[in-house]
DNA sequence: GTCTATAAGAAGATAGAC
DNA sequence: GTCTATCTTCTTATAGAC
């Protein structure tokens, strides 16, 4: 990795731990192995480093979508899978979503940085909500909607069902960001959550037969 | 309100909007209507102001519990209420919880400040998780447990049921903190969430009769 | 308790040699 | 591209008058 990218990487690590204001240009430079003034040959200011991180994240976000999928390839393939999903596969879906958000290094650092900086700039607030609320709800809602259409799940309101699926995952994620030592506990809760979600929303076979 | 408390109040407002590091002692003093050096007659440092806010919050937290209750008096009275709760009353419970967290001025500013500062200090992380995760889950879990015992609701796992009740409320709250313009939408989602929660977990009367 | 003046130090950024 | 030296500005905090 060249110096220009190493600066972004080390800056992101520091910003995600201490917040923008508590990180000094000299700190970033030290981790890269250069002196602060050298850093200004790569970026014209501290703010420019921050902006470059956000821009790089925007580039990565398009690749990221794949990681939310059960087979990691494309949504069309997913659609087929979700029409015949089992409880264990639903748990795998939740776990994949959760573990990706939790452990993907770049994603995790960026999310923590946004958590700290979200009130500082309306644009950052919008990015946070889109990335960690609206986009996951939209994508998961599409998948759960497929399962409803296929008769695997049943509900009167897919959007609320999706909220019931994702909100606990989101909350457990924020707990783990804050207190990594609770990760094992969170994973158990995750699995119990999805098992109960499946029991609640699974199509009642007797109901189908009685029609 | 005396100067000493006004300093805490204005500091909390600024900390919750910009974060500790981006607020200068002179900013706080200006809002109070004094000059920065005068402020040092009341608190020995900027950090001392922050610490005093956290201490004051600890005092207020004991009073706060009441606001999470349906009748605002005590848990014993709540227990009786929850044994015979209707869907509308369950919605009222969710709404009260949500609106209290959302609109109580001190609570809101403190929560936003903790959101920004949570990764800066392990103690603050613990306060956040206790106050906005563990305590609500514990209290709501107790109430929902009463409803299960009374036969109003049914579930195999009260803790997961409580997670299904509270996690969406928590997520909607963080959305509103970040984007206040989505408050009306969040309130509608809140109500739809609780109606669906009630439908899902309400005791099936036919099941009771068949036993 | 509030003020003005100011010390002390930190941090972002630039100049110019190599 | 990296360095040392330095500038400039900002920010916390203190000194001491009123």
């Amino acid at each position: 990795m060249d110096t220009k990218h190493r600066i972004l990487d080390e800056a992101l690590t520091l910003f995600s731990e201490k917040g923008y204001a508590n990180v000094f240009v000299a700190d970033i430079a030290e981790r890269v192995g250069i002196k602060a003034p050298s850093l200004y040959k790569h970026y014209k200011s501290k703010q420019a480093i921050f902006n470059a991180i956000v821009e790089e994240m925007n580039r990565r976000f398009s690749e990221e979508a794949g990681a939310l999928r059960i087979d990691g390839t494309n949504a069309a393939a997913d659609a087929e899978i979700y029409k015949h999903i089992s409880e264990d596969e639903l748990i795998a879906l939740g776990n994949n979503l959760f573990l990706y958000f939790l452990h993907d290094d770049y994603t995790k650092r960026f999310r923590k940085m946004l958590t700290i900086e979200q009130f500082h700039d309306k644009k950052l607030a919008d990015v946070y909500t889109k990335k960690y609320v609206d986009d996951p709800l939209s994508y998961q809602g599409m998948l759960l909607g497929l399962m409803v259409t296929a008769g695997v799940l049943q509900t009167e309101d897919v959007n609320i069902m999706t909220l019931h699926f994702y909100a606990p995952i989101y909350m457990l994620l924020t707990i783990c960001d804050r207190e990594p030592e609770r990760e094992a506990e969170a994973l158990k809760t995750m699995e119990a959550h999805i098992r109960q979600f499946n029991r609640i929303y699974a199509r009642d076979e007797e109901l189908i037969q009685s029609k």
Side-chain angles (χ1 to χ4, degrees), chain A:
Chain A
M1 188 154 49
D2 63 1
T3 304
K4 190 150 184 166
H5 278 92
R6 290 205 51 225
I7 291 169
L8 289 195
D9 194 56
E10 299 295 349
L12 177 55
T13 299
L14 289 167
F15 290 159
S16 72
E17 289 168 355
K18 304 156 138 240
Y20 179 84
N22 291 305
V23 174
F24 313 130
V25 175
D27 298 337
I28 303 168
E30 188 185 17
R31 290 181 68 119
V32 174
I34 58 178
K35 298 292 182 183
S38 308
L39 192 146
Y40 286 87
K41 297 288 179 183
H42 301 279
Y43 297 95
K44 78 171 213 294
S45 67
K46 183 183 170 187
Q47 186 63 48
I49 296 172
F50 183 89
N51 295 344
I53 291 171
V54 177
E55 281 164 32
E56 170 141 350
M57 164 276 309
N58 279 326
R59 279 197 298 280
R60 292 199 188 200
F61 275 177
S62 58
E63 308 164 21
E64 231 174 70
L68 306 183
R69 290 170 194 153
I70 205 164
D71 74 344
T73 53
N74 61 70
D78 290 348
E80 283 310 307
I81 291 168
Y82 290 117
K83 281 179 187 167
H84 314 287
I85 199 163
S86 69
E87 185 177 83
D88 283 346
E89 286 166 337
L90 195 65
I91 290 170
L93 166 64
N95 269 336
N96 282 354
L97 180 66
F98 186 63
L99 289 174
Y100 169 73
F101 272 137
L102 188 60
H103 286 148
D104 181 87
D105 200 41
Y106 190 84
T107 294
K108 188 185 188 69
R109 285 180 289 157
F110 188 78
R111 183 179 59 251
K112 289 181 73 170
M113 185 179 87
L114 272 191
T115 300
I116 299 171
E117 305 299 336
Q118 63 181 317
F119 303 128
H120 191 257
D121 181 344
K122 175 67 177 146
K123 280 181 195 164
L124 296 178
D126 289 344
V127 170
Y128 187 110
T129 299
K130 176 170 163 41
K131 201 59 203 157
Y132 305 115
V133 177
D134 292 336
D135 281 0
L137 283 176
S138 172
Y139 188 74
Q140 298 300 313
M142 184 267 286
L143 296 182
L144 294 174
L146 287 173
M147 296 185 224
V148 170
T149 304
V152 177
L153 302 177
Q154 62 181 353
T155 182
E156 293 173 41
D157 187 333
V158 177
N159 288 336
I160 297 296
M161 180 172 100
T162 308
L163 186 68
H164 286 171
F165 183 77
Y166 180 65
I169 297 175
Y170 173 78
M171 195 170 110
L172 291 170
L173 187 69
T174 65
I175 294 170
C176 292
D177 281 346
R178 193 162 40 241
E179 316 201 66
E181 71 273 17
R182 290 182 70 163
E183 205 175 296
E185 169 204 343
L187 275 167
K188 281 184 194 164
T189 305
M190 249 293 297
E191 183 166 331
H193 151 55
I194 298 186
R195 285 200 188 280
Q196 186 145 326
F197 174 89
N198 184 53
R199 254 179 266 128
I200 288 166
Y201 283 106
R203 179 121 196 174
D204 181 344
E205 292 303 328
E206 290 180 12
L207 197 71
I208 295 172
Q209 286 166 11
S210 72
K211 280 188 181 173

